Each structure stands twice: as structure tokens, then as C-alpha cells.
Amino acid sequence: MQKIEFEVKENIELTKAIINELPFLSRFDVKKMLENKDIKINGARVKENIDLKKDDKVVVFYVEKESKEWYTLVYEDENVLIVNKRAGIEIVSEKERDLLSILSKENDTVLPVHRLDRNTEGLVVFAKNKMSEKELLTAFKTRQGIVKKYALLVHGRVDITKIKRTVYLKKVDALSKVWISEIKTTGYEPAVTEFDIIEYRGDNTLLEANLLTGKTHQIRAHISYYGHSILGDQKYGKDDYDKLHLTANYLAFNFKKDSKLYYLKGKNFEIIPTWI
């Protein structure tokens, strides 16, 4: 069992404070620790998600997950590594625990070429040498050579005709969020997402999203702007679901003949979301 101690720097909810300090933990993990009385505030054990004040002292006891629990191998050759990332871990982080550091211990060379939010599960591609890094970075930046799609379950029955394909997004670092506008204005950049309805599930809608630009929180903020937040999204919505119902579930390669990764053309990978 691991132990970590820290002081709160601002008034904040206990669960948020712990996840900020230990980003590989989920709200569900914290809930279980509270039930087991594995958290102390100012020396006293607590079992509820209370509000903390600046300078409160927090002690957390937790069982660290094994490295293999954070991912499963999907595909690997001499140039490319594809894994199915679990929700709850960053791809790259200033903290000690991230997917890159885990994979680097098990491979000679692992180079990140795109990102996936910490609480989003799904397919992640890594390069295994400088040649493939250059090819993959270009492919993800230009959206040519790679097709990447997401499955998401949102609140409400979506009328797809009311969801604009192109909106404008502004990153607000102070809030760790992004703002959306339908009108281009200073500081906002285009964010393009194609949404398609897969099926209605009671009062919810299962959607497929195809990212044509790669902005921070793009899918989550885009669909929430139109009143349909993703189940489990505590940042752009509010509900009782512990798991974010968003998965990078489909990946396909379509490199041109002049690419050194052309041999991957026609390969596609699809996974089933854990929340399906």
C-alpha cells in the first residue's frame, strides 16, 4: 500500500484535490477509499467527500495498480506500437506515473505522437523510432493517413441537424477547460467534429465522432455546448456516473505510397468500450 501526504492550496472538493494530486486515480477509486476510511484530513479519518479549505493536510493510502492494468497491447511491429489505454492515466505527464513511462520501461524506444485525455479510454499510437515518429506526427497533424473515431454516450435524444460541424474553441488554462462559440472571434480556433447517431438508448444517444481537428477536450466541449454532455463528464456536465462514456474505439491507416508506413494501409483496429 502506498501513502502520500499533501497540503491543499485552495478551497476545493476532497475528491478533486486527490485526483489533482494523483491523476491516475478515478472518482470511483476515491469513493472506495472513502468507504474504506483510507483518507485522513488534518489527522482524522473521513468517509465522505467533504469540502476542503486552504492549508488542510491530506493523507491518502492507496494500492497502486500494476503497470499491465493500465493498457492492453493491440498491435506492434518494428515501427509502431498500438495499445488500448485504460481511463485514469495520462499519456504524458509531469507526474511519475503516466503511460509513456510505463511503456518506456518495457520497450527500447517509445515516442508519443498524439494525445488522449486522462479519463478517456481507447486506442493510442506510439512511434518506435524517429522515422515513424515523423510520419505519424505529420499524419495526426494533417489528419491524412489516419482515421480516428470515438464512441460516446450522451444525455438526451440528439437532433443531429442542430449540431454544427464546425465551432470555435478557446483554451482557458486557469479553469483547465475550453470554451465554445459558434462565431469566430479573437482567441478562438476552429474545431471540426463530425457526429453521427448510432442509436437511441432510452433517453440517451449513442454517437460516433470523427475528429477533423485535434483540440483539447474537443468532443466533450463541442457536444456539451449543444446540451448533450457525455455521461460521466464531471467537467462539461454533471451526473452520478463514475466512468466517462467516451472511447477512442476505431483506428485505421491510409498512408500514401510515398510514405514509409504505406505497408500499414488497410489495417484497421476497433475495440468495444468498457461502458457498452
Side-chain angles (χ1 to χ4, degrees), residues 56-85:
D56 277 346
K57 293 178 175 59
V58 182
V59 178
V60 180
F61 299 91
Y62 65 96
V63 177
E64 192 169 19
K65 293 183 180 180
E66 295 292 333
S67 295
K68 290 294 186 182
E69 290 187 52
W70 289 116
Y71 75 94
T72 53
L73 180 64
V74 175
Y75 174 83
E76 183 176 14
D77 63 26
E78 67 274 16
N79 298 313
V80 174
L81 174 67
I82 304 174
V83 301
N84 178 10
K85 180 184 86 71

Side-chain angles (χ1 to χ4, degrees), residues 16-34:
K16 289 183 179 180
I18 292 174
I19 292 176
N20 287 344
E21 194 70 24
L22 301 169
F24 49 85
L25 295 178
S26 68
R27 295 184 72 89
F28 180 77
D29 292 328
V30 178
K31 182 180 178 181
K32 285 296 182 183
M33 287 190 290
L34 286 169

Side-chain angles (χ1 to χ4, degrees), residues 131-189:
M131 178 279 291
S132 57
E133 179 190 33
K134 181 179 178 181
E135 294 277 339
L136 288 166
L137 283 172
T138 299
F140 278 106
K141 183 177 180 179
T142 62
R143 299 287 155 174
Q144 296 180 5
I146 290 179
V147 178
K148 187 180 178 186
K149 297 182 180 180
Y150 294 72
L152 55 151
L153 187 63
V154 303
H155 290 282
R157 295 175 68 86
V158 175
D159 180 350
I160 207 69
T161 63
K162 294 182 179 179
I163 310 295
K164 288 191 175 182
R165 180 174 179 267
T166 300
V167 294
Y168 299 91
L169 177 151
K170 179 180 180 179
K171 191 174 181 180
V172 185
D173 291 328
L175 300 175
S176 297
K177 295 181 70 173
V178 300
W179 290 343
I180 297 291
S181 171
E182 289 186 345
I183 302 171
K184 182 173 176 55
T185 187
T186 304
Y188 285 76
E189 297 180 348

Side-chain angles (χ1 to χ4, degrees), residues 102-235:
I102 292 172
L103 293 172
S104 295
K105 293 177 182 177
E106 302 164 2
N107 297 270
D108 292 335
T109 303
V110 182
L111 303 167
V113 293
H114 69 113
R115 61 177 178 263
L116 199 62
D117 291 344
R118 177 174 62 86
N119 288 325
T120 303
E121 64 182 15
L123 298 170
V124 183
V125 184
F126 292 89
K128 295 183 67 178
N129 52 58
K130 287 294 183 179
M131 178 279 291
S132 57
E133 179 190 33
K134 181 179 178 181
E135 294 277 339
L136 288 166
L137 283 172
T138 299
F140 278 106
K141 183 177 180 179
T142 62
R143 299 287 155 174
Q144 296 180 5
I146 290 179
V147 178
K148 187 180 178 186
K149 297 182 180 180
Y150 294 72
L152 55 151
L153 187 63
V154 303
H155 290 282
R157 295 175 68 86
V158 175
D159 180 350
I160 207 69
T161 63
K162 294 182 179 179
I163 310 295
K164 288 191 175 182
R165 180 174 179 267
T166 300
V167 294
Y168 299 91
L169 177 151
K170 179 180 180 179
K171 191 174 181 180
V172 185
D173 291 328
L175 300 175
S176 297
K177 295 181 70 173
V178 300
W179 290 343
I180 297 291
S181 171
E182 289 186 345
I183 302 171
K184 182 173 176 55
T185 187
T186 304
Y188 285 76
E189 297 180 348
V192 187
T193 317
E194 291 180 342
F195 290 103
D196 290 301
I197 294 175
I198 298 176
E199 65 180 17
Y200 292 111
R201 293 192 163 198
D203 293 329
N204 301 323
T205 308
L206 182 61
L207 297 173
E208 177 183 83
N210 182 12
L211 279 180
L212 300 180
T213 55
K215 305 297 184 183
T216 301
H217 297 174
Q218 179 175 321
I219 293 175
R220 297 164 63 184
H222 192 156
I223 197 66
S224 178
Y225 177 82
Y226 289 96
H228 300 287
S229 62
I230 301 172
L231 273 66
D233 193 342
Q234 302 293 330
K235 189 176 290 287

